[in-house]
Amino acid sequence: MQVFSTVEEIRKIVKGWRREGLSVGLVPTMGFLHEGHRSLIDCAVRENDRVVVSVFVNPIQFGPNEDLASYPRNLEADTILCEKAGAHALFHPAPEEMYLPGFCTFVDVPDLSRFLCGKTRPTHFRGMCTVVSKLFHIVMPDRAYFGQKDAQQLAIVRRMVRDLQFDIQIVGCPIIREPDGLAKSSRNTYLNPEERRAAVVLSRAVALGREMMEHGERSAAAVESAMKCLIEQEPLARIDYVTVADAQSMTPVERIEGPVLCAMAVYIGTTRLIDNFFFGDPLC
């Protein structure tokens, strides 16, 4: 596996693969890779002749009071994981490589970004769409792989690809969880032992919400209320949102009558964690 830091370098190798008639998969990440990322790479390796993993902590998707400076990074460990997983190239550009002087062009999907995480992180998805669209243009993949843990991100990327007519298949991959149910996340490393134990309340709330829907509950408010009540029993937890939304539009619903996404963001101490589940056709 080779590591590239410039757009020119990664484009050159991808164009060589294209001349050979090889298919290319892309796994966009912000690094500090874990088993969840590994599952995306594994899927990409199975489905493509060549796989590029990008490792880039994207500054424009962090708000002014968010954790850009402290976001965990370990390129050496990321390189080892990618190589063991069978990736063929790791693209690790500097911010100035991705955003040239005077950069002022952005990609936005506002209708799907207004609710859920977009409500409290208003610039996040614009930054994400911009960097993902740039990676698509740079790597020119046949397929790109995203995790369902960031379900709103996955829905927004799908809409962006449809609306802008990218010739790319977006592949959604299931959430990978710890043995106790906590969804794998790079931000889990922020948790101290007491917070780590408390964080399991997210997956417990997911299980409760899913069980209620499977047993016939169709009131979104009833499901949200029960989940919030469970989370609020944990003293270290502070709810950002718990919302049942339409699985395609990300718009909150009152009645669960079609495929829905039940998503949450919860602070455990100062660490913001997310989790979710789909009910009905997960559309990914």
Side-chain angles (χ1 to χ4, degrees):
M1 188 188 75
Q2 296 175 278
V3 179
F4 302 96
S5 60
T6 70
V7 171
E8 182 180 2
E9 291 171 333
I10 194 67
R11 275 184 168 158
K12 182 177 180 181
I13 193 167
V14 170
K15 286 178 180 178
W17 295 339
R18 290 295 185 194
R19 285 193 293 270
E20 297 177 48
L22 302 175
S23 61
V24 178
L26 170 66
V27 182
T29 83
M30 292 209 302
F32 210 73
L33 306 182
H34 50 66
E35 290 89 340
H37 299 106
R38 172 67 188 258
S39 72
L40 304 182
I41 301 169
D42 288 341
C43 186
V45 168
R46 288 193 300 270
E47 296 181 351
N48 302 275
D49 300 312
R50 296 290 184 269
V51 172
V52 177
V53 179
S54 64
V55 171
F56 179 63
V57 180
N58 178 30
I60 67 170
Q61 69 187 67
F62 287 78
N65 298 313
E66 294 181 341
D67 57 341
L68 173 61
S70 62
Y71 193 85
R73 297 162 170 86
N74 190 334
L75 182 61
E76 182 178 359
D78 292 347
T79 303
I80 293 170
L81 185 149
C82 289
E83 192 158 24
K84 287 183 177 178
H88 302 84
L90 190 154
F91 179 45
H92 177 59
E96 54 269 26
E97 179 71 15
M98 294 296 284
Y99 302 114
L100 302 179
F103 182 90
C104 61
T105 302
F106 298 90
V107 179
D108 201 2
V109 185
D111 285 357
L112 273 67
S113 303
R114 289 180 295 143
F115 302 106
L116 308 177
C117 285
K119 190 172 183 179
T120 52
R121 304 184 71 194
T123 63
H124 171 73
F125 289 116
R126 185 180 78 158
M128 180 276 294
C129 287
T130 300
V131 77
V132 168
S133 65
K134 286 175 65 67
L135 289 168
F136 286 172
H137 283 297
I138 292 165
V139 179
M140 301 175 293
D142 298 283
R143 302 173 188 87
Y145 297 78
F146 296 84
Q148 183 184 306
K149 184 177 75 70
D150 296 297
Q152 187 176 15
Q153 170 179 275
L154 176 58
I156 289 171
V157 169
R158 287 186 185 281
R159 180 65 62 85
M160 178 183 76
V161 165
R162 189 200 73 173
D163 288 356
L164 299 183
Q165 297 175 302
F166 284 101
D167 187 19
I168 299 170
Q169 178 186 354
I170 302 302
V171 181
C173 299
I175 298 173
I176 303 299
R177 297 183 179 275
E178 302 282 0
D180 63 4
L182 180 65
K184 295 275 189 180
S185 171
S186 300
R187 289 189 168 95
N188 291 349
T189 59
Y190 295 159
L191 303 172
N192 64 36
E194 184 182 9
E195 291 169 340
R196 174 61 184 80
R197 289 189 292 270
V200 179
V201 75
L202 276 81
S203 57
R204 290 175 55 213
V206 162
L208 174 62
R210 181 184 285 117
E211 182 181 18
M212 291 178 68
M213 292 186 195
E214 289 174 349
H215 283 80
E217 181 60 69
R218 292 297 176 263
S219 166
V223 173
E224 293 166 1
S225 178
M227 293 173 67
K228 289 176 181 177
C229 184
L230 175 60
I231 295 167
E232 287 167 350
Q233 293 174 24
E234 170 50 61
L236 296 181
R238 177 170 58 88
I239 296 171
D240 182 351
Y241 69 84
V242 176
T243 302
V244 179
D246 180 271
Q248 288 185 298
S249 70
M250 299 291 112
T251 303
V253 300
E254 295 182 359
R255 298 288 302 173
I256 301 164
E257 297 174 340
V260 296
L261 168 69
C262 182
M264 74 183 78
V266 177
Y267 287 91
I268 302 296
T270 60
T271 303
R272 185 178 184 275
L273 302 177
I274 60 175
D275 206 340
N276 67 76
F277 69 93
F278 283 98
F279 183 76
D281 182 359
L283 304 177
C284 63

